[in-house]
């Protein structure tokens, strides 16, 4: 297929040994003999609604691209360049096909999204949007809104890894659902095509390895404390009757984390997280959260619970917290951050299998780690990865050093690129597209910076050029999410007083407003009381699925295009 060239450069074609490439070549040859093949191939691009929707859409697009080259017109060359951009955007974080023109509703699916009344945990599973809904795991096709497949679940099932719709990267390779209890406890592993396998979780494993928890990469996680209870030393820690705790818990029991294959039960890996002396406030019954139940809590001294622990599990990181425990483990079983004293740092995923271990004490610093845990560099400041990008592995990492009021850019290996004054706190890295980095500040402005030098190229303060009012609404708003089609940037904004959220699209080269729909505008969306469509604006979070943009609310999903 064609690799997207810079303006004026020659096209380079990669030969792909698959059915799509063969079909594309055959169609191209046929087009020399009969022009009808061109139209047929282009029509096929719009028709596929089978289980392999994503694959067929992309194969047809490849056919159309080759046909365009054979026709040999300037328009065709532009079309191939645009096709290469579109295909690239389908597979990157925050990537969508087109946001340059105002978005409208293309379809609507009504039903509960997520396991609870207000939860909207979702996952991008291959080319579909997946979530729990009224006793089923549902997958929606992003083009039509039709249910691509469903998997029946028992009442109270827990599926993961899922994240709220407003998080930047809900993509995962598989989902794991736990259901039932006791001897009837089972795990269901689900792949992108809806194929599911069910396994009974033996009570013996629970007694030996601990309560199960959904994990990343098709795993079930188990965790338990090891060592005698006599190893616990509460030190000078104590809590009042009101639950206010002071002092330090000096010693406690280590935590063992085990990952087993959800389908087979075979052990993938096991790691041990050492206990470290901890402030008593991190050793209460309310800190962190339980691991699927309260069975792991050993409560001493009224409020102190030195064995308590919990986790937040996403597709790229398992973040552990609790008494004497603050660390993270990658899906491959690499332990990160165990050397930090609890409460003094943390671990963050940077995308593309990269991680940062951060220290909050004194000057903020972070070490950068590869997928295998090897340190590849060190930076000063808190690292920020872009919410949206046009690259599979973004080549820029920003770091915020608020005490020194500096914003720094680094190569992925920690090599410094530039260092500029931080205009205000609350900095967010919205996008890295082409040679532009887009950031937003707590003061309410969006800035486009030269990726190579940090020089400001443009600023947008929320003003609507179509309005007579020069004061932008963005001064009291925040940017919740960002998406890009490689040429334009779409921002989801949220004000302090409006019930709905606004949308604005900016040209990435100039910062010019392409279109603007402030929060509260007349856009159909889901009424939270009865599920009907009303003129209320965007009230949910946005998710990019195979290049298509979806709005997700607790009461339904709709396509935007």
């Amino acid at each position: 297929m064609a690799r997207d060239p810079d303006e004026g450069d020659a096209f380079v074609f990669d030969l792909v040994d698959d059915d799509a490439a063969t079909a594309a070549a055959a169609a191209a040859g046929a087009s020399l003999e009969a022009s009808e093949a061109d139209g047929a191939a282009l029509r096929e691009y719009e028709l596929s609604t089978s289980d392999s929707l994503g694959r067929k859409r992309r194969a047809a697009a490849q056919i159309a691209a080759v046909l365009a080259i054979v026709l040999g017109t300037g328009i065709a060359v532009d079309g191939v360049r645009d096709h290469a951009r579109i295909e690239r955007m389908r597979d990157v974080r925050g990537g969508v096909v087109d946001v340059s023109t105002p978005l409208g509703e293309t379809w609507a699916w009504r039903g509960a999204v997520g396991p609870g009344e207000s939860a909207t945990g979702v996952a991008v599973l291959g080319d579909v949007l997946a979530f729990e809904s009224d006793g089923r795991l549902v997958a929606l096709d992003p083009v039509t809104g039709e249910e691509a497949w469903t998997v029946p679940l028992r009442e109270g099932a827990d599926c993961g890894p899922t994240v709220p719709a407003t998080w930047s990267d809900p993509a995962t390779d598989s989902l794991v659902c736990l259901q039932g209890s006791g001897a009837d406890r089972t795990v269901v592993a689900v792949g992108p095509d809806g194929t599911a396998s069910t396994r009974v979780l033996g009570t013996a494993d629970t007694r030996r390895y601990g309560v199960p928890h959904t994990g990343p990469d098709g795993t079930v996680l188990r965790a338990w404390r090891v060592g005698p209870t006599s190893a616990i030393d509460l030190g000078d820690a104590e809590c009042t009757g009101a639950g206010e705790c002071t002092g330090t818990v000096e010693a406690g029991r280590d935590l063992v984390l085990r990952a087993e294959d959800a389908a087979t039960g075979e052990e993938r890996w096991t790691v041990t997280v050492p206990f470290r002396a901890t402030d008593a406030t991190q050793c209460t019954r309310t800190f962190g959260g339980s691991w699927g139940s309260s069975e792991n809590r050993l409560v001493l001294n009224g409020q102190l619970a030195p064995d308590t622990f919990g986790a937040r599990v996403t597709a790229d990181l398992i973040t552990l917290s609790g008494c004497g425990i603050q660390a993270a483990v990658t899906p491959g079983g690499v332990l990160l951050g165990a050397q930090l004293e609890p409460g003094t740092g943390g671990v963050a995923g940077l995308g593309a299998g990269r991680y940062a271990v951060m220290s909050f004490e004194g000057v903020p610093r972070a070490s950068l780690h590869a997928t295998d845990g090897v340190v590849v560099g060190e930076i000063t400041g808190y690292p920020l990865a872009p919410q949206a990008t046009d690259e599979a592995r973004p080549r820029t990492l920003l770091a915020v050093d608020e005490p020194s009021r500096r914003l720094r850019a680094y190569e992925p290996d920690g090599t410094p690129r530039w260092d500029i004054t931080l205009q205000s706190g609350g900095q967010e890295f919205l996008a890295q597209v082409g040679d532009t980095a887009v950031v937003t500040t707590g003061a309410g402005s969006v800035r486009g910076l030269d990726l190579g030098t940090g020089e400001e190229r443009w600023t947008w303060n929320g003003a609507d050029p179509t309005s007579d009012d020069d004061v932008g609404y963005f001064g009291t708003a925040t940017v919740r999410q960002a998406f890009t089609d490689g040429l334009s940037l779409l921002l989801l904004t949220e004000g302090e007083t409006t019930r709905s959220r606004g949308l604005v699209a900016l040209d990435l080269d100039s910062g010019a407003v392409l279109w603007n729909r402030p929060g509260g505008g007349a856009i159909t969306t889901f009424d939270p009381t009865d599920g009907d469509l009303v003129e209320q604006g965007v009230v949910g979070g946005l998710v990019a699925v195979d290049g298509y943009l979806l709005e997700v609310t607790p009461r339904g999903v709709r396509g935007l295009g």
Side-chain angles (χ1 to χ4, degrees), residues 502-529:
L503 292 172
V504 62
L506 305 177
D507 180 85
L508 279 163
D509 287 335
S510 65
V513 176
L514 300 176
W515 57 271
N516 191 5
R517 188 171 283 156
I523 314 169
T524 56
T525 190
F526 291 97
D527 186 318
T529 59

Side-chain angles (χ1 to χ4, degrees), residues 301-322:
N301 193 23
Q303 294 289 333
L304 290 175
D307 268 2
T308 188
F309 63 88
R312 185 181 68 189
V313 179
T314 60
D316 66 344
L317 198 63
I318 305 160
T319 303
L320 301 166
S321 59

Side-chain angles (χ1 to χ4, degrees), residues 3 79 82-83 132 173 179 237 241 296 314 317 323 328 415 476 546:
R3 281 189 260 132
D82 196 51
H83 163 74
E132 295 179 61
D173 293 330
Q179 55 186 4
N296 58 37
T314 60
L317 198 63
C323 186
T415 302
T476 58
D546 194 32

